[in-house]
Amino acid sequence: MRLFGSKPALPADRRGEARRTVNARGVVSAAGLETVCVIVDLSDTGMRLRLDRSAALPAQVVVIDVAEGLAYEAALVWQKGQEAGLKQTGAKSLRGLAPARLAGRATPG
């Protein structure tokens, strides 16, 4: 029975790790697929993406955080329209994979 002013109980959060909002520019890459995305939120074990366009993601992808220079191998857990939830196994740095003269150029001023 519900009393006036009481709220229904919220469903338990099934995530094992706390997530943090990042709103970072990213790229999702897989065989035959490369699409721009926003990494909406991120935890040590998962992430939520907002894709630039509707595209069915395959079971395994690599998500690249452009600003941080990190690549995440990830498995698709759910997808609804342009949003997707992925389970990731950790980040690998992409720093040093491009010649220093091309990476992070400062503009003359």
Side-chain angles (χ1 to χ4, degrees):
M1 181 161 111
R2 202 172 127 184
L3 301 175
F4 294 105
S6 64
K7 295 181 182 178
L10 296 174
D13 191 347
R14 297 182 302 188
R15 290 174 200 86
E17 301 287 330
R19 56 187 169 155
R20 60 192 181 281
T21 302
V22 292
N23 288 321
R25 190 177 70 167
V27 176
V28 179
S29 181
L33 171 75
E34 187 173 291
T35 188
V36 175
C37 70
V38 172
I39 304 169
V40 177
D41 59 47
L42 182 66
S43 73
D44 290 339
T45 59
M47 63 178 66
R48 182 166 54 110
L49 306 179
R50 186 173 309 112
L51 303 174
D52 185 48
R53 59 185 170 90
S54 291
L57 295 180
Q60 299 292 319
V61 297
V62 174
V63 179
I64 300 166
D65 182 329
V66 176
E68 294 295 322
L70 297 172
Y72 298 90
E73 290 185 19
L76 181 66
V77 175
W78 61 268
Q79 183 172 5
K80 184 172 183 179
Q82 289 180 253
E83 292 218 345
L86 299 116
K87 181 175 182 175
Q88 54 99 356
T89 56
K92 305 228 182 334
S93 177
L94 299 176
R95 303 278 186 223
L97 295 180
R101 64 185 171 75
L102 297 177
R105 273 191 180 181
T107 52

